[in-house]
Amino acid sequence: MHQSIARIDLLISALSQAPEKGLRLVEVCAATGLGKATAHRLLSGLVQYRLVDHDAESGRYFVGYKIFSWASGVSNRNGLVELLHPAMARLVTQFGDTVYLVVRNGDAAVCVERLEGSYPIKSLTLKVGDRRPLGIGAGSAAILAALSKPERTAIIAQDAAARRAFPLSDAGLAAILGEADAKGYACIDGAIVPGICTIGVAITLDDGSPVAAISVSAIADRMSAERRLEIAQAIQAEIETLRETNAAFFRAANRSRLMSGIGA
């Protein structure tokens, strides 16, 4: 039972990485590590229940619209989007680049809000609803870095298959996390999307549990070392202001409510 659920999660996660073009069966197998017969059997069942769509002419599989309809009411269920939207809007105004909010979802991060800045060249690497393994993306990496070392190590080990769909090696991830430990924020510069640099800062409860992250993303030419630090400090300042003005929301006693809201 648990194995089947884990395999279905792998399949839908792989398809979510190619929402427009979909994946052929052989590509699904390469992304998930599943055998052809197993992947085809599971996909057929998901198609039957409209969780996956199949284009018979091209042979490609796509995430089903049914999942999208389920997800549409989830993004603000724990109040984070409403609480953080003003801070994100200020960051967009200040820097002119794309600002993201991702929430922790077990061993992954889900994008629940994206605000686009005024700069004409956009960094649109995530859409609302996109789900990534922890460590894939600056906000996601900031969340992973904020976890205890044992939990971090366990997640990195168990998510190796899910990370294969992304161009970030284990050594590259280790370097990003080491820098995040030292600086208090995560920076991913071209390691996932060439030419794109993103700064992410984790949002933690009073007990240190990371529940979300805010990130600012721009083309690498706009991300000098000085500007990276300026962005990181601005995000940190917004989070600290929120902590001071909404102390009850960040109390460790709220961990179960927040984490149940985002599926950790």
Side-chain angles (χ1 to χ4, degrees):
M1 176 68 173
H2 290 296
Q3 185 182 49
S4 294
I5 293 172
R7 288 172 171 175
I8 289 170
D9 176 68
L10 270 178
L11 287 170
I12 294 177
S13 295
L15 293 175
S16 72
Q17 309 312 317
E20 292 88 7
K21 67 178 183 177
L23 296 175
R24 295 188 179 92
L25 179 60
V26 64
E27 295 170 325
V28 171
C29 294
T32 63
L34 296 174
K36 185 176 180 180
T38 299
H40 185 266
R41 174 176 56 82
L42 291 171
L43 285 168
S44 296
L46 292 170
V47 168
Q48 181 180 353
Y49 285 93
R50 295 180 290 117
L51 299 175
V52 167
D53 295 328
H54 181 234
D55 182 352
E57 184 175 345
S58 67
R60 293 183 177 275
Y61 293 89
F62 302 82
V63 173
Y65 281 108
K66 186 176 183 180
I67 291 179
F68 178 80
S69 68
W70 284 354
S72 61
V74 172
S75 63
N76 195 41
R77 65 179 290 180
N78 52 30
L80 276 172
V81 173
E82 181 179 359
L83 178 67
L84 295 170
H85 181 87
M88 295 176 65
R90 285 190 292 271
L91 291 167
V92 165
T93 300
Q94 180 177 355
F95 295 106
D97 293 304
T98 308
V99 179
Y100 295 96
L101 172 63
V102 297
V103 297
R104 186 183 175 195
N105 181 233
D107 58 358
V110 178
C111 178
V112 296
E113 179 79 312
R114 183 182 80 181
L115 300 183
E116 297 177 24
S118 59
Y119 191 73
I121 302 177
K122 312 292 185 185
S123 171
L124 305 179
T125 56
L126 285 175
K127 299 185 300 297
V128 172
D130 282 351
R131 185 176 186 271
R132 299 286 186 269
L134 287 181
I136 302 299
S140 180
I143 292 172
L144 184 60
L147 294 171
S148 67
K149 291 296 178 64
E151 188 173 8
R152 180 198 302 188
T153 300
I155 287 174
I156 290 172
Q158 71 191 26
D159 284 355
R163 290 197 308 275
R164 281 203 297 263
F166 303 91
L168 180 63
S169 67
D170 288 349
L173 177 58
I176 289 166
L177 295 176
E179 184 178 22
D181 286 338
K183 295 183 175 180
Y185 62 89
C187 175
I188 296 186
D189 185 2
I192 298 176
V193 180
I196 298 296
C197 180
T198 308
I199 303 297
V201 179
I203 300 168
T204 61
L205 301 183
D206 288 348
D207 66 352
S209 305
V211 294
I214 293 175
S215 60
V216 174
S217 185
I219 59 172
D221 288 347
R222 285 172 58 77
M223 287 294 211
S224 64
E226 293 77 14
R227 194 166 190 263
R228 294 180 192 186
L229 179 59
E230 181 186 2
I231 288 171
Q233 290 175 338
I235 300 173
Q236 290 166 341
E238 288 287 357
I239 293 172
E240 186 57 34
T241 297
L242 284 167
R243 192 178 300 280
E244 292 171 356
T245 56
N246 298 272
F249 193 92
F250 289 91
R251 286 176 188 151
N254 284 336
R255 184 179 189 277
S256 61
R257 177 176 70 83
L258 285 168
M259 298 305 267
S260 65
I262 58 180

